[in-house]
mmCIF file of all heavy atoms in Angstrom:
data_model
loop_
_atom_site.group_PDB
_atom_site.id
_atom_site.type_symbol
_atom_site.label_atom_id
_atom_site.label_comp_id
_atom_site.label_asym_id
_atom_site.label_seq_id
_atom_site.Cartn_x
_atom_site.Cartn_y
_atom_site.Cartn_z
ATOM 1 N N ASP V 2 63.649 -101.456 -116.210
ATOM 2 C CA ASP V 2 62.492 -101.728 -117.080
ATOM 3 C C ASP V 2 62.323 -103.190 -117.446
ATOM 4 O O ASP V 2 61.197 -103.721 -117.629
ATOM 5 C CB ASP V 2 62.471 -100.867 -118.290
ATOM 6 C CG ASP V 2 62.345 -99.357 -117.923
ATOM 7 O OD1 ASP V 2 61.822 -99.086 -116.884
ATOM 8 O OD2 ASP V 2 62.706 -98.583 -118.785
ATOM 9 N N PHE V 3 63.499 -103.841 -117.560
ATOM 10 C CA PHE V 3 63.456 -105.316 -117.884
ATOM 11 C C PHE V 3 63.581 -106.216 -116.772
ATOM 12 O O PHE V 3 63.950 -107.395 -116.866
ATOM 13 C CB PHE V 3 64.510 -105.597 -118.944
ATOM 14 C CG PHE V 3 64.239 -105.008 -120.314
ATOM 15 C CD1 PHE V 3 64.616 -103.756 -120.677
ATOM 16 C CD2 PHE V 3 63.415 -105.736 -121.249
ATOM 17 C CE1 PHE V 3 64.358 -103.196 -121.876
ATOM 18 C CE2 PHE V 3 63.136 -105.166 -122.413
ATOM 19 C CZ PHE V 3 63.557 -104.011 -122.836
ATOM 20 N N GLY V 4 63.396 -105.740 -115.517
ATOM 21 C CA GLY V 4 63.279 -106.521 -114.340
ATOM 22 C C GLY V 4 64.609 -106.676 -113.570
ATOM 23 O O GLY V 4 64.630 -107.391 -112.580
ATOM 24 N N GLY V 5 65.682 -106.081 -113.994
ATOM 25 C CA GLY V 5 66.914 -106.091 -113.215
ATOM 26 C C GLY V 5 66.660 -105.584 -111.801
ATOM 27 O O GLY V 5 65.992 -104.515 -111.710
ATOM 28 N N GLY V 6 67.122 -106.296 -110.805
ATOM 29 C CA GLY V 6 66.835 -105.927 -109.460
ATOM 30 C C GLY V 6 65.601 -106.667 -108.928
ATOM 31 O O GLY V 6 65.420 -106.716 -107.726
ATOM 32 N N ALA V 7 64.826 -107.251 -109.825
ATOM 33 C CA ALA V 7 63.715 -108.057 -109.425
ATOM 34 C C ALA V 7 63.770 -109.512 -109.740
ATOM 35 O O ALA V 7 63.551 -110.364 -108.934
ATOM 36 C CB ALA V 7 62.397 -107.427 -110.118
ATOM 37 N N VAL V 8 64.175 -109.770 -110.996
ATOM 38 C CA VAL V 8 64.218 -111.231 -111.494
ATOM 39 C C VAL V 8 65.192 -111.998 -110.671
ATOM 40 O O VAL V 8 65.002 -113.224 -110.643
ATOM 41 C CB VAL V 8 64.435 -111.362 -112.948
ATOM 42 C CG1 VAL V 8 63.238 -110.688 -113.777
ATOM 43 C CG2 VAL V 8 65.699 -110.721 -113.385
ATOM 44 N N GLU V 9 66.197 -111.398 -110.054
ATOM 45 C CA GLU V 9 67.173 -112.120 -109.242
ATOM 46 C C GLU V 9 66.503 -112.683 -107.987
ATOM 47 O O GLU V 9 67.000 -113.598 -107.372
ATOM 48 C CB GLU V 9 68.298 -111.201 -108.827
ATOM 49 C CG GLU V 9 69.145 -110.688 -109.941
ATOM 50 C CD GLU V 9 68.493 -109.431 -110.673
ATOM 51 O OE1 GLU V 9 67.439 -108.951 -110.238
ATOM 52 O OE2 GLU V 9 69.210 -108.887 -111.586
ATOM 53 N N ARG V 10 65.309 -112.101 -107.677
ATOM 54 C CA ARG V 10 64.556 -112.591 -106.364
ATOM 55 C C ARG V 10 63.504 -113.668 -106.761
ATOM 56 O O ARG V 10 62.895 -114.160 -105.912
ATOM 57 C CB ARG V 10 63.821 -111.385 -105.874
ATOM 58 C CG ARG V 10 64.842 -110.318 -105.350
ATOM 59 C CD ARG V 10 64.043 -109.096 -104.925
ATOM 60 N NE ARG V 10 64.928 -108.053 -104.444
ATOM 61 C CZ ARG V 10 64.641 -107.230 -103.522
ATOM 62 N NH1 ARG V 10 63.439 -107.195 -102.963
ATOM 63 N NH2 ARG V 10 65.476 -106.294 -103.132
ATOM 64 N N MET V 11 63.376 -114.013 -108.001
ATOM 65 C CA MET V 11 62.334 -114.935 -108.437
ATOM 66 C C MET V 11 62.653 -116.406 -107.848
ATOM 67 O O MET V 11 63.779 -116.751 -107.936
ATOM 68 C CB MET V 11 62.308 -115.082 -109.963
ATOM 69 C CG MET V 11 61.735 -113.883 -110.596
ATOM 70 S SD MET V 11 61.763 -114.014 -112.417
ATOM 71 C CE MET V 11 60.584 -115.320 -112.726
ATOM 72 N N GLY V 12 61.579 -117.101 -107.566
ATOM 73 C CA GLY V 12 61.666 -118.457 -107.130
ATOM 74 C C GLY V 12 61.324 -119.332 -108.418
ATOM 75 O O GLY V 12 60.967 -118.730 -109.438
ATOM 76 N N ARG V 13 61.495 -120.580 -108.248
ATOM 77 C CA ARG V 13 61.198 -121.539 -109.373
ATOM 78 C C ARG V 13 59.751 -121.456 -109.854
ATOM 79 O O ARG V 13 59.506 -121.691 -110.985
ATOM 80 C CB ARG V 13 61.592 -122.917 -109.058
ATOM 81 C CG ARG V 13 63.082 -123.083 -108.802
ATOM 82 C CD ARG V 13 63.504 -124.433 -108.376
ATOM 83 N NE ARG V 13 63.139 -125.306 -109.558
ATOM 84 C CZ ARG V 13 63.448 -126.595 -109.559
ATOM 85 N NH1 ARG V 13 64.056 -127.188 -108.536
ATOM 86 N NH2 ARG V 13 63.154 -127.275 -110.588
ATOM 87 N N ASP V 14 58.927 -121.029 -109.017
ATOM 88 C CA ASP V 14 57.408 -120.979 -109.369
ATOM 89 C C ASP V 14 57.000 -119.617 -109.828
ATOM 90 O O ASP V 14 55.835 -119.408 -110.037
ATOM 91 C CB ASP V 14 56.678 -121.417 -108.095
ATOM 92 C CG ASP V 14 55.296 -121.853 -108.357
ATOM 93 O OD1 ASP V 14 55.093 -122.566 -109.489
ATOM 94 O OD2 ASP V 14 54.392 -121.583 -107.633
ATOM 95 N N ASP V 15 57.857 -118.678 -110.031
ATOM 96 C CA ASP V 15 57.575 -117.323 -110.322
ATOM 97 C C ASP V 15 57.644 -116.961 -111.745
ATOM 98 O O ASP V 15 58.299 -117.521 -112.578
ATOM 99 C CB ASP V 15 58.430 -116.310 -109.478
ATOM 100 C CG ASP V 15 58.122 -116.406 -108.050
ATOM 101 O OD1 ASP V 15 56.974 -116.484 -107.657
ATOM 102 O OD2 ASP V 15 59.095 -116.254 -107.161
ATOM 103 N N VAL V 16 56.826 -115.898 -112.055
ATOM 104 C CA VAL V 16 56.812 -115.267 -113.442
ATOM 105 C C VAL V 16 56.876 -113.772 -113.270
ATOM 106 O O VAL V 16 56.381 -113.207 -112.366
ATOM 107 C CB VAL V 16 55.449 -115.606 -114.071
ATOM 108 C CG1 VAL V 16 55.325 -114.990 -115.459
ATOM 109 C CG2 VAL V 16 55.166 -117.080 -114.179
ATOM 110 N N PHE V 17 57.629 -113.179 -114.202
ATOM 111 C CA PHE V 17 57.786 -111.698 -114.295
ATOM 112 C C PHE V 17 57.437 -111.266 -115.727
ATOM 113 O O PHE V 17 57.812 -111.912 -116.690
ATOM 114 C CB PHE V 17 59.242 -111.313 -114.046
ATOM 115 C CG PHE V 17 59.476 -109.891 -114.224
ATOM 116 C CD1 PHE V 17 59.174 -108.835 -113.309
ATOM 117 C CD2 PHE V 17 60.076 -109.423 -115.473
ATOM 118 C CE1 PHE V 17 59.359 -107.533 -113.523
ATOM 119 C CE2 PHE V 17 60.214 -108.088 -115.674
ATOM 120 C CZ PHE V 17 59.983 -107.068 -114.685
ATOM 121 N N ILE V 18 56.562 -110.239 -115.826
ATOM 122 C CA ILE V 18 56.199 -109.703 -117.138
ATOM 123 C C ILE V 18 56.459 -108.155 -117.196
ATOM 124 O O ILE V 18 56.038 -107.436 -116.181
ATOM 125 C CB ILE V 18 54.672 -109.985 -117.354
ATOM 126 C CG1 ILE V 18 54.284 -111.428 -117.402
ATOM 127 C CG2 ILE V 18 54.219 -109.159 -118.579
ATOM 128 C CD1 ILE V 18 52.778 -111.620 -117.333
ATOM 129 N N SER V 19 57.085 -107.721 -118.230
ATOM 130 C CA SER V 19 57.257 -106.328 -118.420
ATOM 131 C C SER V 19 56.679 -105.928 -119.784
ATOM 132 O O SER V 19 56.993 -106.639 -120.814
ATOM 133 C CB SER V 19 58.733 -105.935 -118.289
ATOM 134 O OG SER V 19 58.915 -104.582 -118.278
ATOM 135 N N LEU V 20 55.956 -104.873 -119.830
ATOM 136 C CA LEU V 20 55.394 -104.414 -121.079
ATOM 137 C C LEU V 20 55.821 -102.972 -121.263
ATOM 138 O O LEU V 20 55.446 -102.085 -120.439
ATOM 139 C CB LEU V 20 53.844 -104.493 -121.019
ATOM 140 C CG LEU V 20 53.086 -104.042 -122.289
ATOM 141 C CD1 LEU V 20 53.396 -104.865 -123.480
ATOM 142 C CD2 LEU V 20 51.572 -103.944 -121.930
ATOM 143 N N LEU V 21 56.727 -102.809 -122.176
ATOM 144 C CA LEU V 21 57.405 -101.481 -122.343
ATOM 145 C C LEU V 21 56.929 -100.806 -123.650
ATOM 146 O O LEU V 21 56.943 -101.445 -124.666
ATOM 147 C CB LEU V 21 58.893 -101.654 -122.434
ATOM 148 C CG LEU V 21 59.490 -102.303 -121.277
ATOM 149 C CD1 LEU V 21 59.643 -103.779 -121.528
ATOM 150 C CD2 LEU V 21 60.949 -101.723 -121.060
ATOM 151 N N GLU V 22 56.489 -99.556 -123.587
ATOM 152 C CA GLU V 22 56.024 -98.839 -124.721
ATOM 153 C C GLU V 22 57.210 -98.033 -125.317
ATOM 154 O O GLU V 22 58.050 -97.508 -124.633
ATOM 155 C CB GLU V 22 54.919 -97.866 -124.319
ATOM 156 C CG GLU V 22 54.362 -97.210 -125.623
ATOM 157 C CD GLU V 22 53.107 -96.388 -125.489
ATOM 158 O OE1 GLU V 22 52.488 -96.310 -124.338
ATOM 159 O OE2 GLU V 22 52.582 -95.782 -126.430
ATOM 160 N N TYR V 23 57.222 -97.979 -126.586
ATOM 161 C CA TYR V 23 58.220 -97.165 -127.378
ATOM 162 C C TYR V 23 57.466 -96.126 -128.138
ATOM 163 O O TYR V 23 56.243 -96.017 -128.071
ATOM 164 C CB TYR V 23 58.968 -98.090 -128.326
ATOM 165 C CG TYR V 23 59.899 -99.045 -127.629
ATOM 166 C CD1 TYR V 23 59.515 -100.165 -126.977
ATOM 167 C CD2 TYR V 23 61.260 -98.724 -127.544
ATOM 168 C CE1 TYR V 23 60.310 -101.078 -126.365
ATOM 169 C CE2 TYR V 23 62.159 -99.667 -126.994
ATOM 170 C CZ TYR V 23 61.679 -100.756 -126.276
ATOM 171 O OH TYR V 23 62.542 -101.563 -125.660
ATOM 172 N N GLY V 24 58.199 -95.141 -128.644
ATOM 173 C CA GLY V 24 57.652 -93.993 -129.340
ATOM 174 C C GLY V 24 56.675 -94.333 -130.508
ATOM 175 O O GLY V 24 56.923 -95.394 -131.152
ATOM 176 N N SER V 25 55.756 -93.522 -130.844
ATOM 177 C CA SER V 25 54.760 -93.746 -131.828
ATOM 178 C C SER V 25 55.341 -93.918 -133.246
ATOM 179 O O SER V 25 54.864 -94.660 -134.066
ATOM 180 C CB SER V 25 53.731 -92.679 -131.799
ATOM 181 O OG SER V 25 54.197 -91.430 -132.005
ATOM 182 N N GLU V 26 56.513 -93.289 -133.370
ATOM 183 C CA GLU V 26 57.173 -93.438 -134.689
ATOM 184 C C GLU V 26 57.628 -94.815 -134.982
ATOM 185 O O GLU V 26 57.997 -95.240 -136.154
ATOM 186 C CB GLU V 26 58.397 -92.465 -134.741
ATOM 187 C CG GLU V 26 59.559 -92.774 -133.849
ATOM 188 C CD GLU V 26 59.405 -92.158 -132.456
ATOM 189 O OE1 GLU V 26 58.213 -91.649 -132.068
ATOM 190 O OE2 GLU V 26 60.272 -92.449 -131.575
ATOM 191 N N GLU V 27 57.710 -95.653 -133.985
ATOM 192 C CA GLU V 27 58.221 -97.039 -134.164
ATOM 193 C C GLU V 27 57.087 -98.040 -134.596
ATOM 194 O O GLU V 27 57.354 -99.081 -135.123
ATOM 195 C CB GLU V 27 58.737 -97.639 -132.802
ATOM 196 C CG GLU V 27 59.921 -96.851 -132.284
ATOM 197 C CD GLU V 27 61.052 -96.884 -133.188
ATOM 198 O OE1 GLU V 27 61.299 -97.852 -133.941
ATOM 199 O OE2 GLU V 27 61.833 -95.910 -133.168
ATOM 200 N N VAL V 28 55.831 -97.534 -134.561
ATOM 201 C CA VAL V 28 54.670 -98.392 -134.897
ATOM 202 C C VAL V 28 54.857 -99.001 -136.346
ATOM 203 O O VAL V 28 54.441 -100.126 -136.578
ATOM 204 C CB VAL V 28 53.351 -97.600 -134.784
ATOM 205 C CG1 VAL V 28 52.194 -98.436 -135.367
ATOM 206 C CG2 VAL V 28 53.068 -97.285 -133.353
ATOM 207 N N THR V 29 55.410 -98.173 -137.230
ATOM 208 C CA THR V 29 55.461 -98.651 -138.588
ATOM 209 C C THR V 29 56.816 -99.325 -138.901
ATOM 210 O O THR V 29 57.043 -99.679 -140.107
ATOM 211 C CB THR V 29 55.308 -97.453 -139.610
ATOM 212 O OG1 THR V 29 56.218 -96.449 -139.336
ATOM 213 C CG2 THR V 29 53.849 -96.903 -139.445
ATOM 214 N N SER V 30 57.706 -99.377 -137.965
ATOM 215 C CA SER V 30 59.009 -100.037 -138.173
ATOM 216 C C SER V 30 58.934 -101.564 -138.286
ATOM 217 O O SER V 30 57.994 -102.093 -137.711
ATOM 218 C CB SER V 30 59.989 -99.654 -137.136
ATOM 219 O OG SER V 30 59.663 -100.259 -135.877
ATOM 220 N N ALA V 31 59.817 -102.189 -138.904
ATOM 221 C CA ALA V 31 59.838 -103.592 -139.125
ATOM 222 C C ALA V 31 59.818 -104.324 -137.813
ATOM 223 O O ALA V 31 59.226 -105.439 -137.598
ATOM 224 C CB ALA V 31 61.007 -104.084 -139.972
ATOM 225 N N LEU V 32 60.632 -103.839 -136.799
ATOM 226 C CA LEU V 32 60.680 -104.522 -135.480
ATOM 227 C C LEU V 32 59.339 -104.673 -134.866
ATOM 228 O O LEU V 32 59.073 -105.713 -134.201
ATOM 229 C CB LEU V 32 61.644 -103.755 -134.587
ATOM 230 C CG LEU V 32 61.903 -104.346 -133.235
ATOM 231 C CD1 LEU V 32 62.668 -105.696 -133.291
ATOM 232 C CD2 LEU V 32 62.731 -103.458 -132.369
ATOM 233 N N PHE V 33 58.506 -103.645 -134.981
ATOM 234 C CA PHE V 33 57.192 -103.660 -134.288
ATOM 235 C C PHE V 33 56.062 -104.110 -135.245
ATOM 236 O O PHE V 33 54.870 -103.810 -135.030
ATOM 237 C CB PHE V 33 56.951 -102.379 -133.664
ATOM 238 C CG PHE V 33 57.900 -101.953 -132.615
ATOM 239 C CD1 PHE V 33 59.097 -101.256 -132.976
ATOM 240 C CD2 PHE V 33 57.682 -102.376 -131.244
ATOM 241 C CE1 PHE V 33 59.944 -100.939 -131.959
ATOM 242 C CE2 PHE V 33 58.596 -102.045 -130.313
ATOM 243 C CZ PHE V 33 59.764 -101.352 -130.586
ATOM 244 N N SER V 34 56.375 -104.813 -136.360
ATOM 245 C CA SER V 34 55.389 -105.095 -137.370
ATOM 246 C C SER V 34 54.303 -106.083 -136.929
ATOM 247 O O SER V 34 53.167 -106.091 -137.564
ATOM 248 C CB SER V 34 56.075 -105.609 -138.663
ATOM 249 O OG SER V 34 56.736 -106.814 -138.393
ATOM 250 N N ASP V 35 54.584 -106.915 -135.925
ATOM 251 C CA ASP V 35 53.525 -107.854 -135.443
ATOM 252 C C ASP V 35 52.342 -107.036 -134.931
ATOM 253 O O ASP V 35 52.580 -106.019 -134.126
ATOM 254 C CB ASP V 35 54.020 -108.839 -134.442
ATOM 255 C CG ASP V 35 54.871 -109.921 -135.091
ATOM 256 O OD1 ASP V 35 54.816 -110.112 -136.257
ATOM 257 O OD2 ASP V 35 55.618 -110.602 -134.372
ATOM 258 N N ARG V 36 51.134 -107.411 -135.095
ATOM 259 C CA ARG V 36 49.958 -106.678 -134.658
ATOM 260 C C ARG V 36 49.363 -107.295 -133.455
ATOM 261 O O ARG V 36 48.977 -108.509 -133.522
ATOM 262 C CB ARG V 36 48.995 -106.598 -135.867
ATOM 263 C CG ARG V 36 47.757 -105.704 -135.468
ATOM 264 C CD ARG V 36 46.771 -105.666 -136.653
ATOM 265 N NE ARG V 36 45.821 -104.716 -136.357
ATOM 266 C CZ ARG V 36 45.572 -103.696 -137.121
ATOM 267 N NH1 ARG V 36 46.191 -103.530 -138.252
ATOM 268 N NH2 ARG V 36 44.686 -102.800 -136.795
ATOM 269 N N GLY V 37 49.025 -106.575 -132.418
ATOM 270 C CA GLY V 37 48.252 -106.997 -131.265
ATOM 271 C C GLY V 37 49.173 -107.658 -130.172
ATOM 272 O O GLY V 37 50.119 -108.268 -130.443
ATOM 273 N N LEU V 38 48.675 -107.293 -128.885
ATOM 274 C CA LEU V 38 49.354 -107.934 -127.741
ATOM 275 C C LEU V 38 49.266 -109.449 -127.859
ATOM 276 O O LEU V 38 48.123 -109.936 -127.942
ATOM 277 C CB LEU V 38 48.659 -107.415 -126.438
ATOM 278 C CG LEU V 38 49.083 -108.023 -125.144
ATOM 279 C CD1 LEU V 38 50.556 -107.742 -124.885
ATOM 280 C CD2 LEU V 38 48.120 -107.577 -124.048
ATOM 281 N N PRO V 39 50.335 -110.141 -127.668
ATOM 282 C CA PRO V 39 50.224 -111.591 -127.659
ATOM 283 C C PRO V 39 49.526 -112.064 -126.461
ATOM 284 O O PRO V 39 49.996 -111.702 -125.308
ATOM 285 C CB PRO V 39 51.711 -112.064 -127.688
ATOM 286 C CG PRO V 39 52.516 -110.858 -128.134
ATOM 287 C CD PRO V 39 51.698 -109.688 -127.731
ATOM 288 N N ARG V 40 48.485 -112.828 -126.619
ATOM 289 C CA ARG V 40 47.710 -113.325 -125.507
ATOM 290 C C ARG V 40 48.089 -114.834 -125.176
ATOM 291 O O ARG V 40 47.876 -115.317 -124.008
ATOM 292 C CB ARG V 40 46.188 -113.347 -125.761
ATOM 293 C CG ARG V 40 45.701 -111.967 -126.207
ATOM 294 C CD ARG V 40 45.612 -111.006 -124.994
ATOM 295 N NE ARG V 40 45.124 -109.635 -125.470
ATOM 296 C CZ ARG V 40 44.817 -108.705 -124.733
ATOM 297 N NH1 ARG V 40 44.956 -108.795 -123.400
ATOM 298 N NH2 ARG V 40 44.400 -107.584 -125.199
ATOM 299 N N ARG V 41 48.586 -115.528 -126.165
ATOM 300 C CA ARG V 41 49.020 -116.825 -126.021
ATOM 301 C C ARG V 41 50.585 -116.906 -126.356
ATOM 302 O O ARG V 41 50.988 -116.309 -127.271
ATOM 303 C CB ARG V 41 48.317 -117.834 -127.012
ATOM 304 C CG ARG V 41 46.833 -117.825 -126.808
ATOM 305 C CD ARG V 41 46.358 -118.511 -125.569
ATOM 306 N NE ARG V 41 46.667 -119.939 -125.579
ATOM 307 C CZ ARG V 41 46.456 -120.753 -124.577
ATOM 308 N NH1 ARG V 41 45.894 -120.397 -123.531
ATOM 309 N NH2 ARG V 41 46.792 -122.094 -124.732
ATOM 310 N N LEU V 42 51.311 -117.687 -125.620
ATOM 311 C CA LEU V 42 52.776 -117.762 -125.687
ATOM 312 C C LEU V 42 53.130 -119.187 -125.846
ATOM 313 O O LEU V 42 52.443 -120.142 -125.296
ATOM 314 C CB LEU V 42 53.462 -117.207 -124.428
ATOM 315 C CG LEU V 42 53.107 -115.774 -124.051
ATOM 316 C CD1 LEU V 42 53.780 -115.424 -122.774
ATOM 317 C CD2 LEU V 42 53.526 -114.835 -125.197
ATOM 318 N N ASP V 43 54.113 -119.477 -126.761
ATOM 319 C CA ASP V 43 54.562 -120.821 -126.892
ATOM 320 C C ASP V 43 55.717 -121.124 -125.913
ATOM 321 O O ASP V 43 56.771 -120.518 -125.958
ATOM 322 C CB ASP V 43 55.102 -120.953 -128.427
ATOM 323 C CG ASP V 43 55.609 -122.359 -128.719
ATOM 324 O OD1 ASP V 43 55.730 -123.206 -127.692
ATOM 325 O OD2 ASP V 43 55.958 -122.577 -129.879
ATOM 326 N N PRO V 44 55.444 -122.040 -124.998
ATOM 327 C CA PRO V 44 56.528 -122.365 -123.964
ATOM 328 C C PRO V 44 57.789 -122.826 -124.592
ATOM 329 O O PRO V 44 58.924 -122.596 -123.931
ATOM 330 C CB PRO V 44 55.840 -123.547 -123.111
ATOM 331 C CG PRO V 44 54.406 -123.375 -123.388
ATOM 332 C CD PRO V 44 54.218 -122.762 -124.855
ATOM 333 N N ARG V 45 57.816 -123.404 -125.845
ATOM 334 C CA ARG V 45 59.044 -123.834 -126.464
ATOM 335 C C ARG V 45 59.845 -122.589 -126.931
ATOM 336 O O ARG V 45 61.041 -122.751 -127.196
ATOM 337 C CB ARG V 45 58.706 -124.742 -127.621
ATOM 338 C CG ARG V 45 57.979 -125.971 -127.125
ATOM 339 C CD ARG V 45 57.405 -126.749 -128.323
ATOM 340 N NE ARG V 45 56.400 -125.849 -128.988
ATOM 341 C CZ ARG V 45 55.741 -126.161 -130.079
ATOM 342 N NH1 ARG V 45 55.906 -127.239 -130.623
ATOM 343 N NH2 ARG V 45 54.845 -125.246 -130.572
ATOM 344 N N ALA V 46 59.293 -121.429 -127.031
ATOM 345 C CA ALA V 46 60.008 -120.196 -127.447
ATOM 346 C C ALA V 46 60.899 -119.602 -126.418
ATOM 347 O O ALA V 46 61.687 -118.732 -126.626
ATOM 348 C CB ALA V 46 59.028 -119.160 -128.054
ATOM 349 N N PHE V 47 60.626 -119.957 -125.160
ATOM 350 C CA PHE V 47 61.369 -119.520 -124.024
ATOM 351 C C PHE V 47 62.766 -120.090 -124.022
ATOM 352 O O PHE V 47 62.941 -121.222 -124.253
ATOM 353 C CB PHE V 47 60.625 -119.641 -122.659
ATOM 354 C CG PHE V 47 59.561 -118.822 -122.488
ATOM 355 C CD1 PHE V 47 58.330 -118.990 -123.057
ATOM 356 C CD2 PHE V 47 59.757 -117.668 -121.693
ATOM 357 C CE1 PHE V 47 57.269 -118.175 -122.913
ATOM 358 C CE2 PHE V 47 58.585 -116.812 -121.445
ATOM 359 C CZ PHE V 47 57.406 -116.952 -122.080
ATOM 360 N N SER V 48 63.714 -119.220 -123.642
ATOM 361 C CA SER V 48 65.127 -119.700 -123.659
ATOM 362 C C SER V 48 66.043 -118.867 -122.737
ATOM 363 O O SER V 48 65.644 -117.713 -122.546
ATOM 364 C CB SER V 48 65.698 -119.562 -125.028
ATOM 365 O OG SER V 48 67.139 -119.707 -125.109
#
């Protein structure tokens, strides 16, 4: 689900995205408190 078996094949010019859904009971948990699919990403946040 997190790309194991795939990301090892990536080249320097490649991108991999995984969008994983969790149970509906998680919607109100603190971990999932941010609202809405992020459409913009901060390149400085990647590590």
